[in-house]
Amino acid sequence: MSITGIKGFNDILPGEVEKWQHIEATARRVFELYGFAEIRVPVLEKTELFARSIGDATDIVEKEMYSFTDKGDNRVTMRPEGTASVMRAFIEHKLYAADPVAKLYYMGPMFRYERPQKGRYRQFHQIGAEVTGIMSPLIDAQVLTMLCHFFAELGLTEPRLEINSLGCPDCRPAYREALKAFLRGKLELLCDDCKRRFETNPLRALDCKSAGCKEATAGAPSVLDHLCQGCADHFAATRRHLEAVGTAYTINPRMVRGLDYYTRTTFELVTRLLGAQSAVAAGGRYDGLISDLGGPQLPGIGFAMGVERVALLLAEREFRKRPDLFIASIGDAAQDEALRSG
Ligand code: HAM
């Protein structure tokens, strides 16, 4: 019997790969226009990097990481996302010493042990971008505008941009308590996952797809009503800047990201065209991550898109390359000449 590939790990064959090359080339062109430079980081990192940055109580760290002990007895993980590795490299190589502002982009495979379905795989590919060192909401608007610019360059009118603010360590604890107080009487409605993480991560119930969680969270307090003055001002200014440049968005106060490092602005580019996997790209601010990983106190913001999902949105388009010239030789004597001309 012949050996097949592993479930959730895909081959990208000629015919399809041209679409990927077009997506990657468009990202490079657009991101470099905005002053971003490429960074390449390894696929394998110490497990603790992801536990510390993404968070112990997240689905990714709890259930989805490809982790193992290598022959030297080290706990290592195949990266489930790029932000943690890029920030690790930023800190390790002291990129901030020359300039605290770095604009970096990356592309490559990521690994999560999720249940494979259309648009969701165990090896998938991200193209991401990260900016360090800028607190101003102007950068939130610029990063979002660049992301929408990228989709416009691909000729895609889907996906739509949704934004939210998750507050900061000053105001989020009070919101968590308000949400917990609201949900406490409805715990039996929550799905098993949300029940289990009610104490550690109650916000996840807000964007859980289960019918019970939807019913339990109907009418729940909104995070946007609990922002401290600094976070509320930041969100209002981000919105103003987006409007000034004409980047269309809607506010989704129920958007909760599956990674713990986010603060303030969070966002997703969503589509109805991919069934359950509605997020084509997602990201946000992470003002505490760099210092949590042992670096200087610098803010950060970024996003990553799922290349498979972008490719699905481009499904109908033809990117296959055709030869410009075809030389046909007639007779043996012409073969070597044709080979030379080719
Ligand atoms: P994320 O929301 O976990 O964020 O992933 C970003 C995107 O990667 C998703 O919107 C989706 O398009 C794609 N994606 C995620 N999991 C899968 C999967 N199993 N199969 C196919 N595509 C998938 C992050 O990873 C953050 N690092 C984004 C970020 C960058 N935040 C700040 N900077």
Side-chain angles (χ1 to χ4, degrees):
M1 222 178 32
S2 63
I3 299 170
T4 57
I6 301 171
K7 190 173 164 195
F9 286 66
N10 299 318
D11 301 307
I12 302 150
L13 302 177
E16 175 70 4
V17 90
E18 291 78 3
K19 195 188 289 174
W20 283 60
Q21 290 168 341
H22 179 70
I23 295 168
E24 289 161 2
T26 305
R28 286 181 196 285
R29 183 165 50 78
V30 173
F31 296 178
E32 286 172 15
L33 268 179
Y34 287 77
F36 283 72
E38 185 176 0
I39 183 168
R40 300 188 186 190
V41 286
V43 164
L44 209 60
E45 297 272 4
K46 292 180 181 161
T47 300
E48 65 175 292
L49 172 67
F50 301 113
R52 206 183 319 162
S53 53
I54 299 171
D56 283 323
T58 57
D59 281 351
I60 297 178
V61 173
E62 273 186 347
K63 319 190 255 203
E64 295 171 0
M65 295 208 305
Y66 278 88
S67 299
F68 57 94
T69 306
D70 73 7
K71 293 190 200 311
D73 239 4
N74 307 298
R75 282 298 287 166
V76 292
T77 294
M78 291 166 74
R79 62 181 183 193
E81 60 113 47
T83 311
S85 305
V86 171
M87 289 307 122
R88 194 252 327 122
F90 173 76
I91 297 164
E92 187 171 337
H93 302 288
K94 297 195 172 50
L95 298 188
Y96 53 84
D99 187 349
V101 178
K103 288 178 149 185
L104 304 166
Y105 77 87
Y106 52 92
M107 40 185 83
M110 309 288 160
F111 304 85
R112 296 185 195 175
Y113 194 84
E114 293 194 82
R115 202 144 53 81
Q117 53 178 262
K118 181 180 171 193
R120 195 211 273 158
Y121 312 100
R122 290 181 173 167
Q123 173 176 310
F124 60 100
H125 296 75
Q126 285 187 343
I127 300 178
E130 315 288 349
V131 183
T132 61
I134 305 180
M135 208 55 222
S136 163
L138 275 167
I139 196 66
D140 303 43
Q142 190 182 55
V143 163
L144 286 169
T145 299
M146 178 175 88
L147 185 55
C148 294
H149 184 170
F150 164 82
F151 282 102
E153 285 288 304
L154 286 182
L156 291 170
T157 44
E158 284 270 344
R160 293 174 300 104
L161 172 61
E162 291 188 350
I163 64 170
N164 192 21
S165 174
L166 289 179
C168 68
D170 286 341
C171 54
R172 201 181 312 157
Y175 174 64
R176 275 169 59 120
E177 288 315 310
L179 183 63
K180 276 162 83 173
F182 176 86
L183 290 176
R184 201 158 270 124
K186 308 168 193 239
L187 277 182
E188 75 288 353
L189 289 173
L190 297 182
C191 72
D192 288 346
D193 270 346
C194 288
K195 231 180 252 156
R196 185 173 46 78
R197 59 192 172 202
F198 175 71
E199 289 299 334
T200 51
N201 207 349
L203 274 66
R204 287 316 305 272
L206 288 173
D207 75 345
C208 180
K209 305 274 182 310
S210 95
C213 293
K214 281 193 175 140
E215 187 186 337
T217 56
S222 165
V223 63
L224 296 176
D225 296 331
H226 288 76
L227 298 180
C228 61
Q229 199 56 50
C231 289
D233 290 347
H234 189 97
F235 193 56
T238 301
R239 293 182 53 190
R240 266 199 319 277
H241 297 314
L242 285 172
E243 281 152 28
V245 286
T247 300
Y249 66 88
T250 52
I251 296 177
N252 176 3
R254 298 173 75 89
M255 182 204 303
V256 182
R257 305 280 299 120
L259 304 94
D260 279 357
Y261 50 61
Y262 290 113
T263 53
R264 295 195 166 175
T265 314
T266 50
F267 50 89
E268 288 185 350
L269 271 103
V270 295
T271 177
R272 274 157 305 169
L273 303 177
L274 301 182
Q277 307 313 315
S278 59
V280 180
R285 240 182 206 281
Y286 44 87
D287 294 341
L289 178 61
I290 297 172
S291 57
D292 284 351
L293 290 176
Q297 188 70 53
L298 288 173
I301 180 169
F303 63 79
M305 68 183 85
V307 182
E308 285 81 356
R309 295 184 189 179
V310 179
L312 281 167
L313 288 182
L314 289 172
E316 304 307 324
R317 304 248 301 267
E318 178 62 63
F319 293 93
R320 196 188 293 265
K321 291 173 183 140
R322 308 259 171 232
D324 294 330
L325 182 67
F326 183 86
I327 299 175
S329 55
I330 301 173
D332 289 352
Q335 274 177 357
D336 284 343
E337 194 50 43
L339 198 57
R340 236 192 317 273
S341 323

